[in-house]
Amino acid sequence: MNELLAAARAVHFAATIWVFGELAFACALARGRRSVAAAGPGEALRRRLPSIVRLSLGVGIASAVVWLVAVAATMSGMPLSRAMAPSTLGAVLGGTLFGKVWILRLCLAGALLAPWPRSAGGSGWPLALRTVVAAAYLGSLAWTGHAAAAEAASRLLQLGSDVVHLLAAGAWLGALPALVHLLGRAQPIEDAAWAARRFSSVAIASVSALILSGIGSSWFLVGSIPALFGTRYGVLLLAKVALLAVMLALAAANRLLLTPRLAGGDLRAMRALRRNALLEIAAGLTVVIIVGRLGITIPAAHQSPLWPFAYSLGWAPVQESAARSSLLAASLVVAVVGLGVVIAGVHRRVWAHAGAGLAGATAAVVASAWLLAIPAYPTSYAVSPVRYTTTAIVGGAELFARHCVACHGSDGTGAALESAGRVIRPTNLVWHAAGHRPGE
């Protein structure tokens, strides 16, 4: 059932993002440069909007129905055949937040399916109005995720962060198919260059919003670095971030290298730009598949992480060694200088300098990690399910008296037993416990 639920979510997210992205990009091209051709980029994009919107909404509605049935089966514990009964679906639609949001979103999809004006894409106002409705259609998905179940104190902030994240993803990823379509058309290269610059401007704003809102959501749903690496939710999120980094690298190449060449009349740059956009779409669809799985996975903040590495990072090594402290300070200086060289190289488009700066900064970060490395265990960051209460303390005292006093003494230091002439020196649990995390 989880596989069906994750698949339905992923397909629905992809279709909804596509609707908003196509409309938003059409709005971005609605005003500005007048083409020398009979149909410029904006007009060419508006001509295909009705068919694209109908197709994506059709896929979205079909996947929403599957999503509803899968949720009904999960909530009721029934098999799919029984979960499709009108009484079960009615209970989900009328008695849960998911059901009410589902009905609202179905109404928004119906509004987007309203007949288009006779002219190609209609006038500016219907297009802008449809884009606003598509934004509501996409943003309302936030109420179907983890943020809707957050505590009242932070729910509004989490929902707002999710809405921004969804709209930013839609404006970037959802507009990529339209960009590929425009770059594949026979048109003046000046029109293609103008459309690419417009897309790049929208993408920069979208990526900025995407990163900031993603950090905000992760603050609530992940909570810590150990949870990011030591839980299933965290690992899925890391995979999503890695794919996002690939997309950002492709977008940076498009913006800094290919778009200027395209503006100079280089047809090969147009083909390379279209190829990179297709790669971005492939990576973005994989991200959407991961998002479909994240929505049904317990957030990392609510799990006890299992640390997967033999080492972790801590301040103890540099606190105990003046030499390590000096080396760490030098590494940080090298990292800052390397980052400055990268920024200067990118600004001046001297890629050899940018590469050298990146290599230096990377080496400095690796050296810093080596200086701060400390041994770790799977349970190093585990969180005890037992709360620190008076009852727990009394129970712990009884266990200590029963199992530990014989070797470590009543105070845990083992001093009394050591002075009594024991051959094996007992561990001082007071110092030992202070040097380790509770999970260890």
Side-chain angles (χ1 to χ4, degrees):
M1 187 61 64
N2 283 346
E3 298 301 325
L4 178 63
L5 188 54
R9 281 174 51 86
V11 172
H12 188 77
F13 270 68
T16 307
I17 285 172
W18 192 15
V19 171
F20 176 70
E22 289 275 346
L23 290 167
F25 193 35
C27 281
L29 297 182
R31 285 179 173 80
R33 181 178 185 277
R34 288 189 176 276
S35 172
V36 297
E43 182 66 22
L45 192 58
R46 287 193 296 273
R47 284 180 176 177
R48 82 184 205 126
L49 274 178
S51 58
I52 292 297
V53 169
R54 284 192 291 266
L55 173 61
S56 54
L57 285 174
V59 173
I61 292 172
S63 58
V65 171
V66 176
W67 188 358
L68 172 64
V69 173
V71 167
T74 302
M75 288 182 176
S76 64
M78 299 178 180
L80 282 174
S81 57
R82 294 181 59 190
M84 287 188 287
S87 58
T88 305
L89 294 179
V92 173
L93 289 172
T96 66
L97 176 62
F98 173 84
K100 294 171 183 176
V101 172
W102 193 94
I103 294 173
L104 171 64
R105 299 189 70 255
L106 185 63
C107 294
L108 291 172
L112 287 170
L113 284 171
W116 289 74
R118 290 180 178 276
S119 60
S123 61
W125 171 243
L127 177 60
L129 181 60
R130 287 176 191 273
T131 305
V132 171
V133 175
Y137 181 57
L138 175 58
S140 58
L141 280 172
W143 276 263
T144 66
H146 293 303
E151 296 180 358
S154 62
R155 184 182 302 143
L156 187 61
L157 186 59
Q158 292 190 53
L159 286 171
S161 180
D162 277 6
V163 169
V164 172
H165 201 71
L166 286 164
L167 295 181
W172 178 24
L173 177 59
L176 281 169
L179 178 65
V180 170
H181 171 72
L182 291 178
L183 293 175
R185 291 178 67 248
Q187 60 181 320
I189 195 168
E190 296 86 356
D191 287 355
W194 177 75
R197 286 196 299 271
R198 276 296 176 98
F199 176 83
S200 183
S201 299
V202 173
I204 289 174
S206 300
V207 167
S208 301
L210 198 67
I211 292 173
L212 292 175
S213 58
I215 292 173
S217 297
S218 299
W219 179 271
F220 294 104
L221 297 178
V222 179
S224 66
I225 297 298
L228 187 62
F229 288 95
T231 62
R232 179 174 176 77
Y233 187 96
V235 171
L236 286 171
L237 186 59
L238 284 175
K240 177 186 171 184
V241 171
L243 286 167
L244 178 61
V246 173
M247 295 178 67
L248 288 175
L250 291 168
N254 293 344
R255 171 73 177 183
L256 299 173
L257 299 176
L258 298 177
T259 301
R261 286 172 50 193
L262 182 61
D266 189 347
L267 288 175
R268 289 180 298 178
M270 182 188 294
R271 290 192 291 269
L273 195 61
R274 188 169 186 268
R275 178 202 62 210
N276 284 2
L278 288 170
L279 291 175
E280 284 185 66
I281 291 174
L285 288 175
T286 309
V287 167
V288 172
I289 292 172
I290 294 174
V291 169
R293 172 61 65 176
L294 282 172
I296 61 170
T297 303
I298 299 174
H302 303 314
Q303 294 179 281
S304 184
L306 290 176
W307 189 247
F309 308 116
Y311 292 90
S312 182
L313 301 179
W315 294 108
V318 295
Q319 290 173 343
E320 297 169 359
S321 171
R324 280 181 175 261
S325 299
S326 301
L327 289 172
L328 179 63
S331 297
L332 294 177
V333 170
V334 172
V336 171
V337 172
L339 183 60
V341 172
V342 170
I343 295 173
V346 171
H347 179 69
R348 297 176 181 177
R349 297 188 180 180
V350 182
W351 307 116
H353 292 177
L358 180 61
T362 302
V365 170
V366 172
S368 300
W370 178 78
L371 292 168
L372 296 173
I374 57 174
Y377 312 93
T379 59
S380 285
Y381 297 98
V383 179
S384 174
V386 180
R387 297 184 61 189
Y388 193 68
T389 61
T390 302
T391 302
I393 294 171
V394 170
E398 294 175 354
L399 290 172
F400 188 87
R402 190 182 313 156
H403 300 291
C404 311
V405 166
C407 293
H408 299 280
S410 60
D411 61 356
T413 63
L417 298 177
E418 183 180 2
S419 61
R422 274 232 168 152
V423 177
I424 300 177
R425 181 178 180 179
T427 300
N428 184 335
L429 293 183
V430 176
W431 286 102
H432 183 76
H436 291 273
R437 302 177 183 87
E440 295 171 340

Coordinates of all heavy atoms in Angstrom, one line a residue, residues 309-364:
F309 N 28.4 5.9 10.6 CA 29.8 6.1 10.4 C 30.6 5.7 11.6 O 30.1 5.7 12.7 CB 30.2 7.5 10.0 CG 29.4 8.0 8.8 CD1 28.5 9.1 9.0 CD2 29.5 7.4 7.6 CE1 27.8 9.6 7.9 CE2 28.7 7.9 6.5 CZ 27.9 9.0 6.7
A310 N 31.9 5.3 11.4 CA 32.8 5.0 12.5 C 33.3 6.2 13.3 O 33.8 6.1 14.4 CB 34.0 4.1 12.1
Y311 N 33.2 7.4 12.7 CA 33.6 8.6 13.3 C 32.6 9.7 13.2 O 31.7 9.6 12.4 CB 34.9 9.1 12.6 CG 36.1 8.2 12.9 CD1 36.4 7.2 12.0 CD2 36.9 8.4 14.0 CE1 37.5 6.3 12.2 CE2 38.0 7.6 14.2 CZ 38.3 6.6 13.3 OH 39.4 5.7 13.5
S312 N 32.7 10.6 14.1 CA 31.8 11.8 14.1 C 32.7 13.0 14.3 O 34.0 12.9 14.3 CB 30.8 11.7 15.2 OG 29.9 12.8 15.2
L313 N 32.1 14.2 14.5 CA 32.9 15.4 14.7 C 32.7 15.9 16.1 O 31.5 15.9 16.6 CB 32.6 16.5 13.7 CG 32.8 16.1 12.2 CD1 32.3 17.2 11.3 CD2 34.2 15.7 11.9
G314 N 33.7 16.4 16.7 CA 33.6 17.0 18.1 C 34.7 17.9 18.4 O 35.8 17.9 17.7
W315 N 34.6 18.7 19.4 CA 35.6 19.7 19.8 C 36.7 19.1 20.7 O 37.7 19.8 20.9 CB 35.0 20.9 20.4 CG 34.1 21.7 19.6 CD1 32.7 21.8 19.6 CD2 34.5 22.5 18.5 NE1 32.2 22.6 18.6 CE2 33.3 23.1 17.9 CE3 35.7 22.9 17.9 CZ2 33.3 23.9 16.8 CZ3 35.7 23.7 16.8 CH2 34.6 24.2 16.3
A316 N 36.5 17.9 21.2 CA 37.4 17.4 22.2 C 38.9 17.3 21.6 O 39.8 17.7 22.3 CB 37.0 16.0 22.6
P317 N 39.1 16.8 20.4 CA 40.5 16.8 19.9 C 41.2 18.1 19.9 O 42.4 18.2 20.3 CB 40.3 16.2 18.5 CG 39.0 15.5 18.5 CD 38.2 16.3 19.4
V318 N 40.6 19.2 19.5 CA 41.2 20.5 19.4 C 41.3 21.1 20.8 O 42.2 21.9 21.1 CB 40.5 21.4 18.4 CG1 40.6 20.9 17.0 CG2 39.1 21.6 18.8
Q319 N 40.4 20.8 21.7 CA 40.5 21.3 23.1 C 41.6 20.7 23.8 O 42.2 21.3 24.8 CB 39.2 21.1 23.8 CG 38.0 21.9 23.3 CD 36.7 21.5 23.9 OE1 36.5 20.5 24.5 NE2 35.7 22.4 23.8
E320 N 42.0 19.5 23.5 CA 43.1 18.8 24.2 C 44.5 19.0 23.6 O 45.5 18.6 24.1 CB 42.8 17.3 24.2 CG 41.5 17.0 25.0 CD 41.1 15.5 24.8 OE1 41.8 14.8 24.0 OE2 40.1 15.1 25.4
S321 N 44.5 19.7 22.4 CA 45.8 19.8 21.7 C 45.9 21.2 21.1 O 45.1 21.6 20.3 CB 46.0 18.8 20.6 OG 47.1 19.0 19.8
A322 N 47.0 22.0 21.5 CA 47.2 23.3 21.0 C 47.6 23.2 19.5 O 47.2 24.1 18.7 CB 48.3 24.0 21.8
A323 N 48.3 22.2 19.1 CA 48.7 22.0 17.7 C 47.5 21.8 16.8 O 47.4 22.4 15.7 CB 49.7 20.9 17.6
R324 N 46.6 21.0 17.3 CA 45.4 20.8 16.5 C 44.5 22.1 16.4 O 44.0 22.3 15.3 CB 44.5 19.6 17.1 CG 45.0 18.2 16.8 CD 44.1 17.2 17.4 NE 44.5 15.8 17.0 CZ 44.0 15.1 16.0 NH1 42.9 15.6 15.4 NH2 44.4 13.9 15.7
S325 N 44.5 22.8 17.4 CA 43.8 24.1 17.4 C 44.4 25.0 16.4 O 43.6 25.7 15.6 CB 43.8 24.7 18.8 OG 43.2 23.9 19.8
S326 N 45.7 25.1 16.3 CA 46.4 26.0 15.4 C 46.1 25.5 13.9 O 45.8 26.3 13.0 CB 47.9 26.0 15.6 OG 48.1 26.5 16.9
L327 N 46.2 24.2 13.7 CA 45.9 23.7 12.4 C 44.5 23.9 11.9 O 44.2 24.2 10.8 CB 46.3 22.2 12.3 CG 47.7 21.8 12.4 CD1 47.9 20.3 12.6 CD2 48.5 22.3 11.2
L328 N 43.6 23.8 12.9 CA 42.2 24.0 12.5 C 42.0 25.5 12.1 O 41.3 25.7 11.1 CB 41.3 23.6 13.7 CG 39.8 23.9 13.5 CD1 39.3 23.0 12.4 CD2 39.0 23.6 14.8
A329 N 42.6 26.4 12.9 CA 42.4 27.8 12.5 C 43.0 28.1 11.1 O 42.4 28.8 10.3 CB 43.1 28.7 13.6
A330 N 44.2 27.5 10.8 CA 44.8 27.6 9.5 C 43.9 27.1 8.4 O 43.7 27.7 7.3 CB 46.1 27.0 9.5
S331 N 43.3 25.9 8.7 CA 42.4 25.3 7.7 C 41.2 26.2 7.4 O 40.8 26.3 6.2 CB 41.9 23.9 8.2 OG 43.0 23.0 8.3
L332 N 40.6 26.8 8.4 CA 39.5 27.7 8.2 C 39.9 28.9 7.4 O 39.1 29.4 6.6 CB 38.9 28.1 9.6 CG 38.3 27.0 10.4 CD1 37.8 27.5 11.8 CD2 37.1 26.4 9.7
V333 N 41.1 29.5 7.7 CA 41.5 30.6 6.9 C 41.7 30.2 5.4 O 41.2 30.9 4.5 CB 42.9 31.1 7.4 CG1 43.5 32.2 6.5 CG2 42.7 31.7 8.8
V334 N 42.2 29.0 5.1 CA 42.4 28.6 3.8 C 41.0 28.4 3.1 O 40.8 28.7 1.9 CB 43.2 27.2 3.7 CG1 43.2 26.6 2.3 CG2 44.6 27.5 4.2
A335 N 40.1 27.8 3.9 CA 38.7 27.6 3.3 C 38.1 29.0 2.9 O 37.5 29.1 1.8 CB 37.8 26.9 4.3
V336 N 38.2 30.0 3.8 CA 37.6 31.3 3.5 C 38.3 31.9 2.3 O 37.6 32.5 1.4 CB 37.7 32.2 4.7 CG1 37.3 33.6 4.4 CG2 36.9 31.7 5.9
V337 N 39.6 31.8 2.2 CA 40.4 32.4 1.1 C 40.0 31.7 -0.2 O 39.8 32.3 -1.3 CB 41.9 32.3 1.3 CG1 42.6 32.7 0.1 CG2 42.3 33.2 2.5
G338 N 39.9 30.3 -0.1 CA 39.5 29.6 -1.3 C 38.1 29.9 -1.8 O 37.9 30.1 -3.0
L339 N 37.2 30.2 -0.9 CA 35.8 30.6 -1.3 C 35.8 31.9 -1.9 O 35.1 32.2 -2.9 CB 34.9 30.6 0.0 CG 33.4 30.9 -0.3 CD1 32.8 29.9 -1.2 CD2 32.7 30.9 1.1
G340 N 36.7 32.8 -1.4 CA 36.8 34.1 -2.0 C 37.4 34.0 -3.5 O 36.9 34.8 -4.4
V341 N 38.3 33.2 -3.7 CA 38.9 33.0 -5.0 C 37.8 32.4 -5.9 O 37.8 32.8 -7.1 CB 40.1 32.1 -4.9 CG1 40.6 31.7 -6.3 CG2 41.3 32.7 -4.1
V342 N 37.0 31.5 -5.4 CA 35.9 30.9 -6.3 C 35.0 32.0 -6.7 O 34.6 32.1 -7.9 CB 35.2 29.8 -5.5 CG1 33.9 29.4 -6.3 CG2 36.1 28.6 -5.3
I343 N 34.6 32.9 -5.8 CA 33.6 33.9 -6.1 C 34.2 34.9 -7.1 O 33.6 35.3 -8.1 CB 33.2 34.7 -4.8 CG1 32.4 33.7 -3.9 CG2 32.4 35.9 -5.2 CD1 32.1 34.3 -2.6
A344 N 35.5 35.3 -6.9 CA 36.2 36.2 -7.8 C 36.3 35.6 -9.2 O 36.1 36.2 -10.2 CB 37.5 36.6 -7.3
G345 N 36.7 34.3 -9.2 CA 36.9 33.6 -10.5 C 35.6 33.5 -11.3 O 35.6 33.7 -12.5
V346 N 34.5 33.2 -10.6 CA 33.2 33.1 -11.3 C 32.8 34.5 -11.8 O 32.2 34.6 -12.9 CB 32.1 32.5 -10.3 CG1 30.7 32.6 -11.0 CG2 32.4 31.1 -10.0
H347 N 33.0 35.5 -11.0 CA 32.6 36.9 -11.4 C 33.4 37.3 -12.6 O 32.8 38.0 -13.5 CB 32.9 37.8 -10.2 CG 32.5 39.3 -10.5 ND1 31.2 39.7 -10.7 CD2 33.3 40.3 -10.7 CE1 31.2 41.0 -10.9 NE2 32.5 41.4 -11.0
R348 N 34.6 37.0 -12.7 CA 35.5 37.4 -13.8 C 35.5 36.4 -14.9 O 36.1 36.6 -16.0 CB 36.9 37.6 -13.3 CG 37.0 38.8 -12.3 CD 38.5 38.9 -11.8 NE 38.6 40.0 -10.8 CZ 39.7 40.3 -10.2 NH1 40.8 39.5 -10.5 NH2 39.8 41.2 -9.3
R349 N 34.8 35.2 -14.7 CA 34.7 34.1 -15.6 C 36.1 33.6 -16.0 O 36.4 33.2 -17.1 CB 34.0 34.5 -16.9 CG 32.6 34.9 -16.6 CD 31.8 35.1 -17.8 NE 30.4 35.5 -17.5 CZ 29.4 35.7 -18.4 NH1 29.7 35.7 -19.7 NH2 28.2 36.1 -18.0
V350 N 37.0 33.5 -14.9 CA 38.3 32.9 -15.1 C 38.2 31.5 -14.4 O 38.4 31.4 -13.1 CB 39.4 33.8 -14.4 CG1 40.8 33.1 -14.6 CG2 39.4 35.2 -15.0
W351 N 37.8 30.5 -15.1 CA 37.4 29.3 -14.5 C 38.6 28.5 -13.9 O 38.4 27.7 -13.0 CB 36.7 28.4 -15.6 CG 35.6 29.1 -16.3 CD1 35.5 29.5 -17.6 CD2 34.4 29.7 -15.6 NE1 34.3 30.2 -17.8 CE2 33.6 30.3 -16.6 CE3 33.9 29.6 -14.3 CZ2 32.4 30.9 -16.4 CZ3 32.7 30.2 -14.1 CH2 32.0 30.9 -15.1
A352 N 39.8 28.7 -14.4 CA 40.9 28.1 -13.8 C 41.1 28.6 -12.3 O 41.4 27.8 -11.4 CB 42.2 28.4 -14.6
H353 N 40.9 29.9 -12.1 CA 41.1 30.4 -10.8 C 39.9 29.9 -9.9 O 40.2 29.5 -8.7 CB 41.0 31.9 -10.8 CG 42.2 32.5 -11.4 ND1 42.4 33.9 -11.6 CD2 43.3 32.0 -11.9 CE1 43.5 34.1 -12.2 NE2 44.1 33.0 -12.4
A354 N 38.7 29.8 -10.4 CA 37.6 29.3 -9.6 C 37.8 27.8 -9.3 O 37.5 27.4 -8.1 CB 36.3 29.4 -10.4
G355 N 38.3 27.0 -10.2 CA 38.6 25.6 -9.9 C 39.7 25.5 -8.8 O 39.6 24.6 -7.9
A356 N 40.7 26.3 -8.9 CA 41.8 26.2 -7.9 C 41.3 26.6 -6.5 O 41.6 26.0 -5.5 CB 43.0 27.2 -8.3
G357 N 40.4 27.7 -6.5 CA 39.9 28.1 -5.2 C 39.0 27.0 -4.6 O 39.0 26.7 -3.4
L358 N 38.2 26.3 -5.5 CA 37.3 25.3 -5.0 C 38.1 24.1 -4.5 O 37.8 23.5 -3.4 CB 36.4 24.8 -6.2 CG 35.4 23.7 -5.8 CD1 34.5 24.1 -4.8 CD2 34.7 23.3 -7.1
A359 N 39.2 23.8 -5.2 CA 40.1 22.7 -4.7 C 40.7 23.0 -3.3 O 40.8 22.2 -2.4 CB 41.2 22.4 -5.7
G360 N 41.2 24.3 -3.2 CA 41.8 24.7 -1.9 C 40.7 24.6 -0.8 O 41.0 24.2 0.3
A361 N 39.5 25.1 -1.0 CA 38.5 25.2 0.0 C 38.1 23.7 0.4 O 37.9 23.4 1.6 CB 37.3 25.9 -0.5
T362 N 38.0 22.8 -0.6 CA 37.6 21.5 -0.4 C 38.7 20.8 0.5 O 38.4 20.1 1.5 CB 37.4 20.7 -1.7 OG1 36.4 21.3 -2.5 CG2 37.0 19.3 -1.4
A363 N 40.0 21.0 0.2 CA 41.1 20.4 0.9 C 41.0 20.9 2.4 O 41.3 20.1 3.3 CB 42.4 20.7 0.3
A364 N 40.7 22.2 2.6 CA 40.7 22.8 3.9 C 39.5 22.2 4.7 O 39.7 21.9 5.9 CB 40.5 24.3 3.8

